[in-house]
Amino acid sequence: MVTSAPAMSGLDVFEELESEVRSYVRAWPAVWSRAHGASLWDEDGREYLDFFSGAGGLNYGHNPDEMIAALTRYLQSQGIIHSLDMATTAKRDFLRRFEEVVLLPRGMNYKVMFPGPTGTNAVEASLKLARKVTGRQDIVSFTNAFHGMTLGALALSGNVVKRESAGIPLEHQLTAPFDGELGEDVDTVGVLDTMLADESTSVAAVIVETVQGEGGLHTAHFSWLQRLSECCKRHDVLLIVDDIQAGCGRTGTFFSFEPAGIQPDLVCLSKSISGSGLPMSLTLIRPDLDIWSPGEHNGTFRGNNAAFVTATEALSWWADESLANEVRRKSEIIHTELASIAEEHESLRATPRGRGLLQGLHTPIDGLASGICHEAFERGLLMETSGGAASDVIKLMPPLTIEDEDLERGLAILRASVEATAP
Ligand SMILES: *Cc1c(COP(=O)(O)O)cnc(C)c1O
């Protein structure tokens, strides 16, 4: 006798078979089947606007036409998919294009390391190299930082719940206060300066996000980043910028630290570096620090050539200033709207935060940010919260390439969601 399975709603299989660790599917209980640009469709054909952009992995929207065309051509010509760190035409094209479009015009001189394909792999590689170069063990990270989930990166996290998931003590890490953490009037670089001067510490590197993507959109002033860079130099400590979320154009320049005029010793990129959502990451290394011996750090999926193909294509967006200008223009639109929502709804006690197309609203009212994001989902807009365990920031991260009409439609949904939820 054939026993038929119980009638299934589209999500039953995930509840039955997939680990309890799943999270976004709980916030957005839909089964997604198709996406293009700033839109996602569930399997019933309902359209949602995407102000989440794969947590920053989809800066150019879903399935960008030129990248998908390049990828399709590559696959149909039997292009190499997997190559560890062997030389391939796809990797060569990427490296040349990256040099030509990103490094040379900015007067930047870095060696490119391909670690494993995720962001946390790029962070781990930078930590390992910083420790090897300096012979010191400790890394300074900042309050509310997020740098990834593997143990080295997790030790840098400001989020207690995430830290505890390690199940072991996370060591060789010191926390310094981020810009603004001790109030507007306190220059927290002074605190770091004192920490680094303490002879009982043995700090190899300081790692920083210019805008804290997961930790609440706290945004460093350019002058603070400059003082940070000087402080690291003064103490002969390496500066790592984790540009995994804020980089690749998210804040309006290819690297988020460009307007500060600093040159970090190491830079981590991932999320949108492939442009298409395919996994890829890079650690950029100041050439004289590149003291790895061959194979000392490795990984099976360092040669994700499909990602190199779309990454090369994605760099076309940076061959001139037009996308950067667009991001700045759209970020003004968002800032104006957020400031006006905050002003019109005093009960939110909201303040705008962030920079570029990585902005949001902080509200200290318990559960409100999540409530607004939930309401937005019901109305057809994906938006995430930020702010660690408190989740007290509504975060807007539309594709950089979003059409004005979609941007305005999304902002209107946000406004309506606030109006429906505000106390
Ligand atoms: C997402 C993120 C990471 C980790 O990247 P994964 O690909 O999830 O490992 C690290 N740092 C920052 C700033 C991030 O936003």
Side-chain angles (χ1 to χ4, degrees), residues 55 117-123 146-150 153 209 211-214 242-246 268 270-271 280-281 395:
T118 69
T120 201
N121 297 146
V123 172
F146 178 76
H147 298 288
M149 282 291 177
T150 50
E209 302 157 87
V211 182
Q212 296 185 313
E214 300 302 302
D242 177 348
D243 229 7
I244 290 172
Q245 187 159 159
C268 304
S270 184
K271 291 215 161 88
M280 175 172 169
S281 81
K395 176 173 161 189

Side-chain angles (χ1 to χ4, degrees), residues 138 174 195-203:
D138 295 343
L174 301 165
M195 282 169 68
L196 296 180
D198 179 345
E199 285 178 5
S200 68
T201 62
S202 150
V203 174

Side-chain angles (χ1 to χ4, degrees), residues 22-79:
R22 65 198 192 281
S23 71
Y24 290 114
V25 61
R26 300 177 197 264
W28 301 321
V31 181
W32 307 105
S33 65
R34 189 166 71 86
H36 188 250
S39 294
L40 276 158
W41 286 267
D42 71 13
E43 63 181 346
D44 300 323
R46 177 160 185 215
E47 183 187 354
Y48 292 74
L49 272 174
D50 188 354
F51 275 21
F52 167 60
S53 298
L58 294 166
N59 278 2
Y60 311 94
H62 292 268
N63 293 315
D65 294 335
E66 316 75 31
M67 293 177 219
I68 296 301
L71 179 61
T72 306
R73 280 194 304 275
Y74 183 75
L75 295 175
Q76 287 182 337
S77 65
Q78 298 183 340

